[in-house]
Amino acid sequence: MPDPTRPPARPPARPGARTLWFSAAGLLAAAALALGLNMLAERFATHLRVDLTQARLYTLSDGTRQVLAALREPVTLRLYYSRRLGAEVPAYGAYAERVRDMLGEYVAASGGKLRLEQLDPEPFSDTEDRATALGLQAVPLDQAGEQVFFGLAASNMADEERTIPFFQPERERFLELDLTRLIYDLSSPTRPVVGVLTALPLNGDPRAMMMRQPQLAQPQVVMTQLRQFTTLRDIAPDTQVIDPDIRVLMLVHPQNLPQTTLYAIDQFVMRGGRLLAMLDPHSEMQAARAPGGPGAPPPATSSNLDRLLHAWGVETVSDQVVLDLRGAWRVRAGQNDRVQAVDYVAWFAMQGDSLNRNEPVTAQLEQVSLGSAGLIRPRPGAAIEFTPLLTSSAQSMLMDATRVRVEPNPTRILADFRAEGQRHVIAARLRGALRSAFPDGPPALEEGQERAADMPAHKTASDDIANLVVINDTDILDDRFWVRVENFFGQPMATPFAGNGSFIVNIAEQLGGSDALIGLRSRGESLRPFEVVDAIRRTADAQYRQTERGLQERLEATERRLRELRQGSTAPAGERSQSLITPEQRAEIDRAREEIANTRRQLRSVQLELRRDIEALETNLRIINIALVPLLITGLAIGLALLRARRRSAARA
């Protein structure tokens, strides 16, 4: 029996309550640990980042770190940002945070060589006057006329200054390039000298006002970019000697050069000069600016450098152009065309494996656009090293250049397109020991011409390994093929949609011996086209054009036969002249009308039939995006739940 004098024993604590207390204590400890780690990171690891983006957009590139490591003297960065701008336009406020964070990364990686100041230029303040004096762009915020700033000014110990007048959110993907270029300009006082010999108005067309096209008076954007990194110097087309100070010679669309100039180019390369030769079977830029009207003879729009390139072991084809269905531009179709837009396979964007990923100048480019380009190939038995930079896809073919020179018809060109399954090189790097194209010495002078006094000694072979780049297209420099230039409060703003400018500047800098910004500049373009759908659409469109042309020819023949039948036969002489139609002709007319109606129905239906692949793919993608992915996640969750339940059952057993 239990002892009545003894107090009853305290019931033991419930296991559930004890577990609850331990869990709460664990949560508090975890929260304290997380808070402590955050405080330590804020204090000692401010710039520690983990970049999980595919293109590593938030990580300073090797080129930027190379430029920062090469700083020989301190550089001061002054960010002028009006807080009122961020308050009124939140998009600029978010972008300002992005700019500040990036500048902080620069300062942290500079080893103390960069100093950052952040200033708010309030209206009528000394800071505002200083921002205006530095050339930063003031933008009106409202109708009251209050102006705001969002720019950067940098200066070195020699009081040299560089500025970014206004940060545009549209250029966010070029932010690192713009910042690094600004610092590079202050840290590199000497730039490679690039000589430019061209027959094209790359620095603006002086006839722009006469042509009533003032926009043509502006230089091409690629020339503006080259001036930011190099010193450009114009070369006369009749020069006899290339100045030895010139490191890179940029030869663009050479036409009818005298033999003395060709000799000067040859000897420049023999003495170790670097050459960028840009030729063209048909220059769209030259054709668009050619004078004359209807009935005028077509201008000469091709160029070559056969005398030199043949001697060096390479040739450029100037009577054929490369057509490429992959990446073809959509252009306005003809007035009588049933479809408003058509793929113009003579103009195309090179993407993916068309860009050599093993070469620094093209390794990180996303897209390069060309117009009426030609091919390059090594000559049989040539000992020169031939490295392709730009290559067409296998969906390409060659076509007579006259088809694009005289009234090109994109619809007919597409209808005649047949992919040959062969790829064609359009740009290539050449390296090797070269023999002079003038083995017997300088050519004879023309009558009345005198030999230059500073003519160097003749060289029959290159002093060292020659390094040159040949591109069989000059329209790569034309703004309309790669960049949009818009007006932003009186200032031109260039927004590239292709990497043409980066490609040319990369080549010039690498040939000139400075390639720190090549990888960085190539990160600028971030175009990611829907390649699968686009390829199906282009193939369907090409098939449609081929089918359409056959039906159109049959329709025209039937309509021509119908007109002949309607004329009937001539009445006998002496009777009233009139057209007589026999019953047989009437039956033939009815059959022709029925055939015309059937042909037109086929023309209307053929494109719809050929688009079924695209519509089916779009439907499948919608199913995958809407249903399949959630189903997969749900299935994974159910599988994990079943696995956990099975493990618990096994543990209890």
Side-chain angles (χ1 to χ4, degrees):
M1 293 182 62
D3 187 356
T5 62
R6 186 175 181 179
R10 179 180 298 177
R14 290 177 297 174
R18 182 178 302 172
T19 302
L20 181 61
W21 282 106
F22 279 128
S23 298
L27 289 175
L28 290 175
L33 179 61
L35 181 61
L37 289 176
N38 284 333
M39 295 176 64
L40 289 174
E42 182 70 21
R43 177 65 178 86
F44 298 105
T46 305
H47 301 285
L48 185 62
R49 299 288 189 274
V50 177
D51 190 352
L52 301 179
T53 59
Q54 181 179 0
R56 302 186 67 81
L57 298 176
Y58 299 95
T59 302
L60 293 184
S61 68
D62 293 338
T64 294
R65 296 186 181 278
Q66 182 179 344
V67 170
L68 295 177
L71 284 173
R72 295 186 294 271
E73 58 183 25
V75 173
T76 301
L77 305 175
R78 295 182 176 88
L79 176 63
Y80 290 85
Y81 171 66
S82 301
R83 287 180 293 181
R84 177 76 185 280
L85 174 62
E88 296 292 336
V89 187
Y92 280 99
Y95 189 41
E97 289 296 325
R98 170 87 168 92
V99 172
R100 278 194 288 260
D101 290 343
M102 181 63 80
L103 290 174
E105 296 291 336
Y106 275 71
V107 173
S110 67
K113 291 296 181 64
L114 289 181
R115 187 168 65 92
L116 176 63
E117 298 178 5
Q118 302 186 45
L119 306 169
D120 182 5
E122 297 179 352
F124 308 106
S125 65
D126 294 338
T127 306
E128 183 188 43
D129 294 341
R130 177 61 176 165
T132 303
L134 288 170
L136 301 186
Q137 186 173 2
V139 175
L141 185 62
D142 50 32
Q143 295 181 352
E146 180 179 349
Q147 294 183 328
V148 293
F149 293 83
F150 185 19
L152 182 71
S155 60
N156 56 18
M157 297 296 292
D159 289 334
E160 295 177 328
E161 295 176 342
R162 298 290 187 275
T163 63
I164 297 177
F166 199 92
F167 285 104
Q168 279 290 345
E170 291 80 7
R171 286 188 60 85
E172 181 173 4
R173 66 182 185 272
F174 303 103
L175 177 60
E176 186 180 2
L177 169 61
D178 292 339
L179 294 176
T180 304
R181 180 178 60 196
L182 178 137
I183 297 171
Y184 178 81
D185 285 348
L186 291 175
S187 62
S188 303
T190 59
R191 303 179 182 181
V193 179
V194 176
V196 180
L197 196 162
T198 179
L200 298 177
L202 300 181
N203 291 312
D205 195 334
R207 304 169 301 161
M209 295 304 174
M210 298 174 56
M211 299 167 62
R212 296 183 180 180
Q213 294 179 301
Q215 70 277 7
L216 299 181
Q218 300 298 321
Q220 300 298 308
V221 172
V222 68
M223 303 303 290
T224 303
Q225 291 187 348
L226 280 170
R227 287 188 177 90
Q228 295 172 346
F229 303 99
T230 65
T231 299
L232 295 185
R233 187 179 301 175
D234 291 334
I235 304 297
D238 58 351
T239 187
Q240 294 186 33
V241 179
I242 306 297
D243 194 320
D245 291 340
I246 293 176
R247 179 60 174 164
V248 180
L249 177 61
M250 186 172 171
L251 194 61
V252 182
H253 203 48
Q255 292 181 309
N256 304 318
L257 293 181
Q259 293 297 308
T260 52
T261 302
L262 293 176
Y263 176 76
I265 298 171
D266 174 89
Q267 291 299 292
F268 170 79
V269 175
M270 295 302 109
R271 294 195 306 270
R274 309 297 178 85
L275 177 66
L276 169 57
M278 303 183 68
L279 315 170
D280 210 328
H282 173 63
S283 170
E284 299 284 357
M285 180 188 296
Q286 189 176 43
R289 292 164 171 78
T301 57
S302 66
S303 59
N304 65 74
L305 206 62
D306 291 347
R307 171 76 187 261
L308 302 184
L309 295 182
H310 287 181
W312 298 341
V314 68
E315 62 181 343
T316 57
V317 179
S318 58
D319 59 353
Q320 291 180 312
V321 295
V322 178
L323 308 182
D324 198 337
L325 183 62
R326 187 180 77 176
W329 278 39
R330 299 284 287 178
V331 301
R332 189 188 303 275
Q335 295 181 353
N336 299 325
D337 204 316
R338 290 177 172 84
V339 180
Q340 296 298 320
V342 64
D343 286 335
Y344 188 28
V345 289
W347 297 0
F348 51 90
M350 313 193 78
Q351 305 165 353
D353 59 357
S354 290
L355 308 175
N356 190 338
R357 300 303 179 187
N358 296 322
E359 283 289 312
V361 296
T362 52
Q364 298 183 48
L365 294 178
E366 293 292 338
Q367 174 175 304
V368 174
S369 296
L370 307 174
S372 303
L375 67 93
I376 305 170
R377 58 194 176 201
R379 291 174 63 82
I384 195 169
E385 180 183 334
F386 184 89
T387 304
L389 298 177
L390 302 179
T391 309
S392 71
S393 73
Q395 293 180 285
S396 63
M397 66 171 287
L398 297 177
M399 186 188 70
D400 193 328
T402 57
R403 294 283 301 275
V404 298
R405 290 174 184 163
V406 183
E407 297 182 359
N409 188 320
T411 303
R412 288 192 173 274
I413 290 176
L414 181 61
D416 293 337
F417 177 84
R418 301 291 187 277
E420 299 172 345
Q422 183 177 356
R423 309 184 69 176
H424 304 286
V425 177
I426 296 173
R429 178 190 299 280
L430 311 177
R431 294 185 74 256
L434 303 181
R435 304 294 298 180
S436 172
F438 295 84
D440 299 328
L445 298 176
E446 297 180 1
E447 185 177 355
Q449 190 177 21
E450 296 182 358
R451 186 81 63 188
D454 55 350
M455 181 74 69
H458 173 72
K459 290 186 176 295
T460 59
S462 57
D463 289 339
D464 201 348
I465 298 298
N467 193 349
L468 56 151
V469 174
V470 180
I471 305 173
N472 203 3
D473 181 59
T474 60
D475 297 305
I476 196 173
L477 305 175
D478 195 339
D479 286 355
R480 59 176 168 159
F481 282 93
W482 71 279
V483 66
R484 297 183 185 91
V485 181
E486 300 173 348
N487 187 287
F488 181 74
F489 293 97
Q491 297 293 328
M493 183 183 71
T495 303
F497 57 85
N500 297 26
S502 298
F503 177 57
I504 297 301
V505 178
N506 285 350
I507 292 174
E509 284 199 334
Q510 190 176 65
L511 292 178
S514 173
D515 56 0
L517 300 182
I518 288 179
L520 171 64
R521 186 181 299 106
S522 303
R523 296 176 61 178
E525 291 71 43
S526 58
L527 181 65
R528 296 181 180 273
F530 202 172
E531 295 180 355
V532 176
V533 175
D534 194 50
I536 293 177
R537 182 195 61 74
R538 294 185 189 281
T539 302
D541 199 18
Q543 293 175 357
Y544 166 72
R545 292 297 173 180
Q546 295 164 8
T547 307
E548 180 195 42
R549 182 171 183 181
L551 292 173
Q552 189 70 35
E553 290 175 351
R554 191 174 76 184
L555 178 63
E556 292 173 357
T558 306
E559 289 177 340
R560 185 168 55 252
R561 189 172 78 251
L562 179 61
R563 287 193 299 269
E564 294 173 354
L565 290 171
R566 282 175 173 171
Q567 293 175 359
S569 59
T570 306
E575 299 182 7
R576 184 178 179 180
S577 178
Q578 61 179 357
S579 295
L580 300 177
I581 300 177
T582 65
E584 292 79 6
Q585 290 174 331
R586 172 62 61 185
E588 182 68 18
I589 289 174
D590 292 339
R591 286 194 297 270
R593 286 175 175 172
E594 184 178 358
E595 184 177 352
I596 289 174
N598 291 333
T599 303
R600 286 177 174 170
R601 280 195 296 269
Q602 292 179 46
L603 279 171
R604 288 193 297 268
S605 64
V606 65
Q607 189 177 29
L608 295 177
E609 295 175 357
L610 289 172
R611 285 186 58 84
R612 288 178 179 174
D613 288 341
I614 298 176
E615 294 172 354
L617 179 60
E618 291 176 348
T619 301
N620 293 334
L621 289 175
R622 289 192 184 100
I623 294 174
I624 292 174
N625 290 331
I626 297 173
L628 183 58
V629 173
L631 286 176
L632 288 175
I633 296 175
T634 303
L636 180 61
I638 294 174
L640 291 175
L642 292 176
L643 181 61
R644 291 183 63 185
R646 182 175 299 177
R647 288 180 177 177
R648 288 178 179 176
S649 299
R652 290 173 182 173

